[in-house]
Amino acid sequence: MLEKRLIGVITVKDGWAVQSIGYRRHRPLGRPEVIAENLDRWGVDEILLQCIDRDAQGGGPDLALLERLCRRGLSTPLVYAGGVRSVSDGVRAVQAGAERIGIDALLHDDPHLAAELAEPLGAQALIAVLPLSVHNGALAWLDHRSRLSTPLAPALLDVLASGAISEVLLVDWQHEGVHEGFDERLLALWPMPTQPLIAFGGLSEPSQLRGVLERPNVVAAAVGNFLNHREHAVQRLKQSLAGLPLRAATHAPLDPARAWS
Amino acid sequence: MRYCLRCLQPDTRPNTRFSDAGICPACDYVDAVRGVDWQERIDILTDLFASRRRKPGQFHDCIIGVSGGKDSTRQALWVRDKFDVNPLLVCLGYPPEQATDRGMHNLSNLIDLGFDVLVSQPAPATWRTLKRQGFERFTNSFRSTELALFSAVPQIALRYGIDLILWGENPALQLGDLKTLGKTGYDGNNLRHMNTLSSGLQWMLDAGHERRQLLPYVYPQPEEFDALGLQIIYLGWFLGDWSLVNNAMHSCAQGLEIRTDGVADTGDLFGVTALDEDFTPINQMIKYFKFGFGRTTDYVNEEIRLGRMSRERGIELVEQHDHACSPDYIARYCDYLGIGVDAFWRQVHAATNRTLFDIDGDGRIHRRFQVGVGL
Amino acid sequence: MAALMHCRRCLYTSAHPLGLMLDAEGICSGCRVHEEKDRLDWAERWQRLESLLAPYRSRSGETYDCIVPVSGAGDSHYIVHLVKQRLGLNPLLVTYNKYFNTSLGIRNLANLRIRFDCDLIQQNVNPHAVKKITRATLRDFGSDYWHCLAGQTVFPVQTAVRYRIPLILWGAHQGLEQVGMYSHEDEVEMTRRHRQDHDLMGREADDLPTMFDTLKESDIWQYRYPDDAALSAIGVRGVYLGNYVRWDPKAQHEQMIERCGYRTAAFARTFDTYDHVDCWNYMDLHDVLKLHKHGYSKVTDHACREIRHGRLTRAQGLALVRRHEQAAPQHLDKFCEWLGLDRSGLGFLLDRHRNPRWWREAETGRWAFAGASTTAGEAAGVTMPPASAVFEANDVLAHDGIDGYITIGKGHP
Amino acid sequence: MSGARLTIGVVDYGAGNLASVARAITGLGHRCRVTRDTETLAAADAIVLPGVGAFPAAMASLHEHGLVDFLRQQARSGQPLIGICLGMQLLADMSLEHRLTAGLGLIPGRVRPLAGARWHIGWNTIEIDPEDALLSPSDGQSLYFNHAYAFDTPPPYCIGVSRLADAFTVAVRRGKVVGLQFHPEKSQLAGRLLLKNVIEGLCRA
């Protein structure tokens, strides 16, 4: 059967992997490629590499970083997000090694252009990254550049309804980095029941993950900061989510990729 | 008390048996091995090493217990450089107060010769208390430390999953256990049942130590050996020229630093034993007062057996030095144990074998037996 | 290359090799996490540590309660004091032989063993492999210290697996203390990823041998991290005491000097006399390489720590950095003799690892320094630091007169 | 590493990421040639046809580089050919993705949108025909999928299925031409073992 997914998020600022708290404060973590290699060995189901400062660097995906990751021989599916402003940006990111592409700023600027990415890549390769919060009982959609939140734009909902973008990453950006912070109202208030969702932001405890993954339209849960505080954090989470349709945790024996046969 | 007719070994060594012809087991062994085909034994060892497969990612083939002294330095080099076998060397390190700079130099020398060495160093204060309690109870402060020395190698073999231990000389040789001649002569697996030694913990627990302080003194259970399929081999069975002096020559040619204090202070004829600490001379002296033979006798016996010394010359040296132990070493020993020198001598006198020795008014100890003749 | 930004409170820059983030007020992530030291309730955090460690106390007395990595310097005395005397645990001490040992370091380690009466096991990797590795790491990424860092961060973990002792207790987390990598409240634990990423500059043992050099698996295998299956089977965990104790190395060292006989020595390249007295290289060749690669050296780490603890102003710290940073190394000959190098060859290797961001070769052989301290602001007319900021040296590196590397030493009296 | 090192050609026709596939192959200890040069590909022990994105664009690109006839000829001559994801679909007679487009026609059948689901994303278990020696060791394993179209093929050529609403083909085989709908190069240990069995099984059969 098709399993739900635990996604490991690597947030990158100035080429450095960071812990990000509330889309505002950052703490240095290390080299993105080393963290990716570690998540790969831990058996996470997908890796989301999100570069949060591409606009400051003049836009465009960080192709050099993608190639650096690929050279390490990652055997885990990779989603890239950050600075994808055009169809060619998306195609080049896939060429550089990403299986799928996350789109954030472009959805604010031109959702229909975002939909055009589906033609060369296929809708299954696209994820809409939506930083949301609850404002007066309704969902508010953040543009991280201006730091202004607005209601969900009709144009965005039309593109999603058209099926041009397969999954939506709901980011509880206010609770990012906050223990047990994820606000499940984001899922409850989401207007499109058949849209596959990924929950992210403040998910630190197994009970939370079980809560979101038990929802039929939630296909994956993403964890970033909290995977960096303990050895085998992915396996530990998966073991405590026994009973859910998740790929089993594995503790690799002598590192096969490196073992000198 | 009788002496071996050929060498100067008295029959007072615990559970040793002389032959009907009045010859000690060690002299019998020298005769017995004259006809041995040593090349056949070397082939056995070569096949044994060749039959072993390394686990992936594991590059230690066996473990050798070392002190950095003459025997272990020779064994390590022989095994590595002749058979291309990569041993993990395991050393039971003396605490800083007891260790000598010479011992540190020799261990450094062994490491610099290119070996992987694991040094296990038991807690110094517990070590010191156990030595004092051992001296007070058995007039032998080495009861605890011998157990630690003996336990370190199997403990580490079991924990590192290395299933071959190489020891030096088969101790049965000294006890007249003539099995040592046959194929089982190199099989040291009886060592797995040395848990009689582990009962050696009881007196330490009775002396007030907690179990958790005695972990370096715990000799593994036989079941643990079997679970790993641990094999124990005596290299002495293969090394036909194994001897105290010969091993010293091999090791001195590889950088060994030896004692320079002379036989008058230690009873040690050439100064090539007890290089890593200075309490052994005291223990050898006490052994002399208990059993009538000391460190000088051990040296002299080997020289006589190898035909390098007459029995008469041996007698002279034993009479002169077998009891030798410099007062300075005794003072330092007492200081380390925290006892007075007079308390030390009271304890030694109490343990002195009165059939072999008389103690005169001012505490001097005199032989009642005649060296080489007996009682 | 992103523009170089300086923290307004300490002396670190955005080019710190562990990463450093500056917030809107220009204060770095390291200084922000340091503020927690005066905000958190450390009595409560000590209780958290006690309850966290409770299940690891061996009731049977058949095994040790934990493993504590130690050396002849660093925070070893204070850590063993915490573990044995305040926590009442029965630790197995483990140490990796760096071979660059000073006799003062040998003496301090012996003092540690005697004072706290602990069992210790020491790993000595055969020097043939250690030297082959050191030549490669010095050549390929300008590190004379990879083997030390790799050995001392893996031998405790290997021992945990072999001796089936799951708990390893470390001092403070370097990433947290220097650059605020984590909050104390994250209670971050030991991970293989952090070791590879930072302690080992991104290179694990298997990354060293290449097609074009002579390193073999038999040279590097002892530096491999245990595999996940073994770590998981034993339940190995590395806990940092610095997350539960208000970590202040200077105060801790002074407590250990006074009560436990820890001995210290002065250095040319820093004012701190407590750290690294066990190694001829750390404050000498290694520190010069750090300056070449990263444009700052250990004295800046010490200054930042003291500034954050309020014992130095930023200007005083900067003055101390400028006084020590260019002091000539004094023990290069020892390293050359140990590794069989010629001084000229070592010089060539050192120069190849000067980072052009901090060094310009105006004319051949003449290097102009443009490191962090040169653009960190003014330090002129600075008053000398108060008595509380003074570090005492009660001994010398050649403690018993031996002015060279000691492989194995007595260390007593 | 059992047996001698093989040389595997990976067809570079400008579609999708080749580095991951190449890295997976070298990780198994084999040599890898990423190229569009027909001579190099023909000399290889096996050819891998990767592919990400849309069917029509991929076929257009193969035609442009003169690879369509070459691949047909090599497959018919018995050289092992392994199609991965879109590369599997290209083996079909035709595809309905976007517009009707002819495929390589190496394995009968056609590619059409998934039934009962808009796409198939994530890890899903595969059910393998026990007769197939190459893939049966991977029966029940979870592999990574990321596609929206499926390859309908007559039963003898279908050697593996997965399920969403209902079952659909995820592995095809005809002689030494094999197609895999999932990404073995992105399926961690399960993927590594499967790729090893397929490559070495085909080349050493």
Side-chain angles (χ1 to χ4, degrees), chain A residues 135-154:
Chain A
H135 192 58
N136 302 334
L139 290 180
W141 176 29
L142 175 78
D143 182 328
H144 67 84
R145 295 166 297 183
S146 63
R147 301 196 72 79
L148 294 175
S149 284
T150 57
L152 289 168

Side-chain angles (χ1 to χ4, degrees), chain B residues 248-293:
Chain B
M249 296 229 275
H250 273 269
S251 298
C252 285
Q254 294 275 10
L256 191 74
E257 178 188 342
I258 64 171
R259 303 188 72 98
T260 51
D261 46 9
V263 68
D265 290 329
T266 61
D268 182 335
L269 271 184
F270 307 119
V272 290
T273 57
L275 304 175
D276 48 8
E277 54 82 52
D278 285 334
F279 295 160
T280 297
I282 286 101
N283 211 43
Q284 286 297 330
M285 178 188 76
I286 294 171
K287 174 178 116 185
Y288 174 71
F289 291 132
K290 284 183 182 172
F291 302 108
F293 67 96

Side-chain angles (χ1 to χ4, degrees), chain A residues 16 18-19 26-31 37-38 41 72 228-232 251-255 258 260, chain C residues 17-19 21 29 180-182 186 188-189 191-193 196-198 204 206-207 217 227-229 232:
Chain A
W16 203 257
V18 295
Q19 286 195 88
H26 304 104
R27 292 200 182 106
L29 258 183
R31 294 170 181 79
E37 190 177 52
N38 187 69
R41 195 183 63 253
R72 311 284 290 211
N228 296 291
H229 300 163
R230 292 282 289 276
E231 184 64 83
H232 299 156
H251 292 93
L254 184 66
D255 204 337
R258 292 276 177 73
W260 295 40
Chain C
L18 298 181
M21 300 292 152
S29 37
M181 207 173 260
Y182 301 97
D186 288 339
V188 67
E189 293 189 6
T191 62
R192 171 175 173 181
R193 195 278 308 172
Q196 174 186 355
D197 207 339
H198 299 304
E204 286 195 306
D206 284 282
D207 299 322
E217 187 182 3
D227 59 53
D228 288 331
S232 165

Side-chain angles (χ1 to χ4, degrees), chain A residues 160-161 166-167 190-197 216-219, chain D residues 118-119:
Chain A
L160 292 177
S166 54
E167 294 178 346
W190 175 255
M192 307 172 67
T194 62
Q195 176 74 53
L197 300 177
N217 59 342
V218 173
V219 291
Chain D
R118 285 178 289 181
W119 38 71

